[in-house]
Every structure is written in structure tokens, then in C-alpha cells.
Amino acid sequence: MSALELFASLSGCHWINGELQAGTSPSNYDVLDPATEQRIGELCDATREEVNQAIGIANQAQKRWNRTNALHRAEAMHEIAAEIRRQRPLFAEMLTREIGKTYKESFDEASWSATAVDYYAELGRHEIGRVAGPVVDGQFNFSLKEPLGVVVLILPFNYPLCLLCWQAAAALVAGNAVIIKPSELTSLTTLQFVQAFAGLGQGLVQVLTGGAEVGQQLVRHADTHMVAFTGGIETGRSIARECAGMYKRTLIETSGNDPFIVMPSAPIDIAARGAAFGAYLNCGQVCASSERFYVHEAVYDAFVERLIHHARCIRVGNGLDKVDMGPLASQGQRERYERILHRAIEQGARVGTGGGRPRGLDKGWFADATVLTDIAATMDIMHDESFGPVAPICKVASLDEALALSNDSRYGLGSTIYTTNLEESMRATHELEAGMVWVNAPLLDNDAGPFGGRKQSGMGRQLGAEGLDNFRHSKFVMMDPAASAQDFWWFPFRDEDAFPGQR
Ligand code: NAD
């Protein structure tokens, strides 16, 4: 079946109990290709009955899965990774048609999804607890890691496959079932993608489509046991609040407004290429996009000139063509981004290049790769997430100033510095208030290292050992194999332990 035929066959469905199930509510979202604005399918909100059905099935499936051994789970996960790799061309084409990113970016995303699944396949069986030194002679004391039960994944639109795998792989190897609520903008590709997990058994991985209401029902349901949310700050806040009221565990990964510092010792052309990648990858729709630039005055003019050059070289167009940047994901995303861009211009930013919509692309939600100069650190664009292809550049006089401005933010996701000065690298590493610091290496991820934010960019971590522990309870066990009397605690208390004074 072609990608377009698949979109038609997935329209209006959920993935419940190992099969596509036609939704019973009327379809209420058209799915549009952001490069052509053509309708490629439709979605519906899962009903309360469908939500209850999926949660009931997930709880049963989780109990079966939790009885399987760790090697079996590892082997099953490796097979999923292999299946994802086999189907990368299809997933990449579907993702590009549904969300606009270039085919290469979609293909890379499918590849990163597979590596995360392979990573957690092994990490999941590496250890499931630890032995503690006993506090009593002859005792055996240990902790066990146990699954939470049914984990709800609420996902954003920008990296729907790899974020799904970062979280689902960790949750599954820990013995959980997952229910995924994808973004309204990426549900059809997700419905196809999760079929790669079918070998795990029916009902262990399910997908319910729909909007905020469906997410809320999953969050509030008494029989879901954790919510892993990735998306905007305000949505994250409301989910964290709801879960706190129920003492339900959460992983909250939200927005970023990452700084990018350039110091005089940096190789300026390389730094500018790195900046173009950080600012324009996925049309600027990366949570850890480089969003605000603090460039030392000694190299400001040279850096601006090189970044303008690299921005002008970016070919914008349909992600299925030979281009470097596709459109923004939806009309709403472009309108939101353009409001932020126009506000910056109103506040005095000068357009170095771009600043509008590419000529000749009348259909589709395209935007220019844009460089803004004459930026004051107080401008709104330096304090809000733009989530679009813009690089606003602020001149600074010193590393102290760059670090202070970088940290003057409610966000704390990623951060980048370009310098070849060792002392500056170390200062930035220690002083930047962020979950990730990239020194001359913008926007890299490593499955083996924790990813996540500080401040309002989130609570908790994905990836690495930290990303696995989100999805596990610990249970501490103290065992006396000899069942000896514990006279040091038990009754009767000895008279010599009584209060020694006078009452
Ligand atoms: P969003 O907050 O609008 O939506 C995210 C998901 O939440 C969607 O599936 C949506 O349907 C659902 N949702 C919305 N309201 C809800 C509610 N009240 N209850 C339950 N679910 C609800 O975010 P988005 O626009 O899809 O994604 C973009 C944002 O995601 C950006 O801010 C970006 O920085 C952030 N993001 C963060 C990370 C990270 O790791 N920190 C990664 C990717 C994206």
C-alpha cells in the first residue's frame, strides 16, 4: 500500500488490543499535509468507552508481560528495533507527508527510535535492583525494581516517533504497558509505527487518538499509574497539577528557549554552521533548538555575516524534494511563530535575512530561515520559545555577560557554547542552568545520557539509566533467613534501657 492509501486506511482508527479499531465518535480533525495543505486523512477523539476499554486491556496485558523474563523482553525489543529499521523508508515518507519535516530528518528520527529501543533492550536486563549491606547479622537486604503498571504517554508533534521510543522502550523493559496519546498532528504515522511493536503481544502498546479531552481522561483515570508528558509548558503544568492531586507519578518534559554563546576563540564559520543547524533543524521545531544567540563583540560582525550566508543557502520546500528545510507543522504553528517574529521586529530587531515567507511557495506553511540582529536582551523573543526558524543575535562584551543573560530565563533545557578556550568551556559547563550543555556540538543526543530540563522546562529525565528509573518502583526487602528473635528491638524492653533520671 502507498503512504497515501495507508493514511486513508488508518483514518478514524485507534490501535486497541493489537488491531486497528474504527473509532465510534465522528471524525473531527482533518489531517493536512503541511507542504501542500491537501487533506490526507482524518482523526477522531477516542470516546470514554474506548478509553476505558484500552485501559482495561492494558492492565491485563501488563500482568502477562510482567511475568516474562528479562532476556525474553530484551530479545523482543531488539526485534522491534530491527522492524523499525526495516520500515524506515515508509515511516519517513509518512512522517514527512504528515508533519512536513524533510525526508532525511524523518528517516533520521526513525533511526534514533531504533537505537533507543536497542539501548533499553539491554539496559532493562542489566539490573533490577541492588543488594544493600545488612544492618543485622545474618540478614539479606535488597531492593527490587518493579513496574508501575499502565503508563500513559502524551506526546507532542515535533518528534513523535523517537520520543515515543525513548519513553515506551524504557517503560516496556521495566514491565509496564503503555497507552499513547499522540499529537493531533502526527496520529496517522503513529498508528502505523506502533504496529512495529505488535510482536510484544496484544494490548501492551495501544494508541488512542484525539485532543486534550482524551489526554485528560487518560490522566485522570484511576487505573493508569503514570503519565509521561512531553509538550508545552502550560499543558505540562496542568497535567502535573492533576497528577499531584492523585499522587500519580509524572515525567514532565516541556518547552525550551536555549541559549547559544559564541566566544572569540571559536572557529567562526564552523560556529555559524552549527548555529544554522541548531536554529533551523526541523524548521526550528526542536524543543532544544538554539533560540537566542549571545555573541562576543570581537566576533559579532564576522559571525553574523557567516550565519546570514548559511541561512541563505538553506533550500526550503516540500520535505519529499531535495531541500534542507520543510514547512512548519500547521497553519496554527506558523501563525504563532509569525506573531513572535513580528513582535521582535516591532521591538527594534533588524532582519539580516529572511523575515517572511519564501517566494514561489504559495501553498504550505513555509517560513524563511531568518537571522535577526540589533537584538536587546530584554526583547520578548529572547524570553519566549519561538519554535520557528529564527536566530536572534545579541552582542555581549564578555563570557560573564553571556552566562548571566543565558541564565536569565524561566527555561533550562539545553544550551550551547562555541569556544576552544578550556577555561571558558569548563565555566560554561558548570554555570549554565540547563539540563544539557553542548560545547562545540549543538543539538546532539546520546541514548546513554540523560535528556531533560530544569526550571520550567520540566521535571525528570528521559534516556540513560535515569530514563529507565522513571518507570520503576523500588521495593526494599529485608530478610532474615534464620527467622531469629530480634531481641534488640522487641518486647519486653530491658530495664537498663529505661529513662535513667527521676520522674
Ligand atoms: P502541546 O502541549 O500543545 O501538546 C502536547 C500533547 O498534549 C498533545 O498530544 C496534546 O493533544 C496533549 N494535550 C493538550 N492539552 C492537554 C490536556 N489538558 N491534558 C492532556 N493532554 C493534553 O505541545 P505541542 O505543541 O504538541 O508540542 C510542542 C512543545 O513540546 C514545544 O513547547 C516543545 O518545546 C515541547 N517539546 C519538549 C520536549 C522535551 O523533551 N522537553 C520534546 C519535544 C517537544
Side-chain angles (χ1 to χ4, degrees):
M1 240 192 261
S2 72
L4 290 176
E5 287 164 346
L6 277 171
F7 284 136
S9 71
L10 296 161
S11 282
C13 290
H14 311 290
W15 179 253
I16 297 178
N17 206 21
E19 55 189 23
L20 286 173
Q21 180 174 310
T24 52
S25 75
S27 292
N28 34 19
Y29 305 89
D30 280 339
V31 181
L32 305 180
D33 178 336
T36 63
E37 301 180 32
Q38 273 167 6
R39 186 177 174 285
I40 55 174
E42 61 189 32
L43 299 176
C44 62
D45 279 316
T47 61
R48 191 167 291 278
E49 292 68 37
E50 287 154 351
V51 169
N52 287 336
Q53 180 196 4
I55 293 174
I57 289 167
N59 275 282
Q60 293 304 316
Q62 190 271 328
K63 289 186 181 66
R64 287 195 298 277
W65 176 241
N66 193 32
R67 288 195 287 271
T68 59
N69 67 66
L71 179 60
H72 167 82
R73 285 185 210 166
E75 287 171 345
M77 297 303 286
H78 284 308
E79 277 172 25
I80 292 166
E83 185 60 23
I84 292 172
R85 282 196 185 91
R86 262 195 298 278
Q87 295 206 50
R88 271 179 299 186
L90 173 66
F91 296 147
E93 182 187 342
M94 292 181 78
L95 193 56
T96 294
R97 288 185 186 276
E98 194 172 15
I99 201 68
K101 62 174 71 175
T102 63
Y103 181 81
K104 177 192 164 28
E105 288 168 333
S106 297
F107 195 91
D108 286 346
E109 182 174 350
S111 305
W112 305 332
S113 306
T115 65
V117 173
D118 274 334
Y119 171 73
Y120 278 120
E122 292 307 318
L123 198 69
R125 71 191 181 109
H126 181 67
E127 56 86 14
I128 55 162
R130 68 186 170 87
V131 178
V135 289
V136 175
D137 292 352
Q139 279 204 0
F140 185 50
N141 295 173
F142 59 98
S143 64
L144 279 179
K145 297 290 185 171
E146 296 187 334
L148 307 173
V150 174
V151 175
V152 174
L153 307 185
I154 299 182
L155 295 172
F157 69 83
N158 61 335
Y159 283 93
L161 309 185
C162 91
L163 292 172
L164 186 161
C165 285
W166 287 9
Q167 297 171 8
L172 288 165
V173 298
N176 299 285
V178 300
I179 299 179
I180 297 152
K181 212 302 280 165
S183 162
E184 301 85 311
L185 298 177
T186 51
S187 295
L188 296 179
T189 307
T190 305
L191 283 167
Q192 184 65 29
F193 183 74
V194 288
Q195 298 183 33
F197 290 74
L200 295 182
Q202 289 179 339
L204 203 61
V205 177
Q206 300 180 96
V207 177
L208 295 174
T209 67
E213 173 90 358
V214 178
Q216 277 166 355
Q217 287 180 43
L218 288 163
V219 168
R220 290 178 185 157
H221 202 289
D223 296 329
T224 63
H225 308 102
M226 175 182 175
V227 179
F229 167 79
T230 315
I233 285 192
E234 293 317 322
T235 324
R237 198 191 313 285
S238 82
I239 289 175
R241 221 182 259 134
E242 293 252 17
C243 289
M246 297 178 288
Y247 292 103
K248 192 173 284 192
R249 205 190 280 206
T250 53
L251 167 66
I252 305 284
E253 297 279 4
T254 65
S255 320
N257 186 24
D258 289 10
F260 186 115
I261 299 172
V262 183
M263 296 302 291
S265 67
I268 294 304
D269 188 56
I270 292 282
R273 287 189 64 198
F277 178 72
Y280 309 130
L281 180 72
N282 196 14
C283 202
Q285 300 166 113
V286 186
C287 55
S289 287
S290 307
E291 292 239 339
R292 47 198 174 108
F293 293 75
Y294 301 107
V295 178
H296 194 280
E297 58 193 10
V299 290
Y300 180 87
D301 290 341
F303 177 81
V304 168
E305 185 272 315
R306 291 322 294 159
L307 182 55
I308 288 175
H309 166 76
H310 292 301
R312 287 185 177 151
C313 290
I314 286 182
R315 297 161 297 171
V316 183
N318 188 315
L320 295 177
D321 294 334
K322 292 189 174 68
V323 297
D324 305 303
M325 195 168 88
L328 287 144
S330 68
Q331 186 173 12
Q333 284 300 324
R334 186 168 70 174
E335 284 169 7
R336 186 200 47 72
Y337 160 67
E338 287 183 342
R339 270 196 302 278
I340 292 169
L341 177 66
H342 294 153
R343 173 84 182 130
I345 295 168
E346 235 173 69
Q347 288 185 320
R350 202 171 61 78
V351 176
T353 189
R357 299 175 179 178
R359 281 203 209 105
L361 292 170
D362 301 330
K363 282 280 177 196
W365 299 301
F366 295 97
D368 289 328
T370 294
V371 175
L372 298 180
T373 61
D374 297 9
I375 292 288
T378 49
M379 287 179 182
D380 293 348
I381 196 164
M382 301 303 265
H383 295 274
D384 294 321
E385 184 182 52
S386 61
F387 227 52
V390 58
I393 312 180
C394 176
K395 193 186 284 184
V396 293
S398 63
L399 180 63
D400 284 335
E401 187 184 1
L403 291 172
L405 291 175
S406 295
N407 290 337
D408 177 21
S409 174
R410 65 181 173 141
Y411 302 93
L413 192 55
S415 54
T416 296
I417 181 168
Y418 263 87
T419 174
T420 54
N421 177 309
L422 184 60
E423 191 186 353
E424 287 173 356
S425 314
M426 291 311 295
R427 272 199 62 200
T429 300
H430 289 301
E431 293 179 32
L432 282 166
E433 296 166 1
M436 285 82 61
V437 178
W438 289 292
V439 180
N440 306 329
L443 266 191
L444 288 178
D445 296 328
N446 177 343
D447 297 325
F451 181 101
R454 295 186 183 179
K455 302 183 189 173
Q456 293 186 30
S457 289
M459 306 190 286
R461 289 292 179 270
Q462 309 176 81
L463 296 182
E466 295 85 345
L468 175 59
D469 245 6
N470 287 315
F471 300 103
R472 309 195 293 190
H473 285 302
S474 71
K475 178 185 276 174
F476 194 55
V477 183
M478 301 181 79
M479 195 181 272
D480 181 355
S484 48
Q486 319 245 311
D487 288 337
F488 47 86
W489 300 126
W490 288 1
F491 303 124
F493 293 156
R494 299 179 316 167
D495 288 351
E496 53 269 44
D497 290 337
F499 178 53
Q502 292 258 307
R503 189 162 66 83

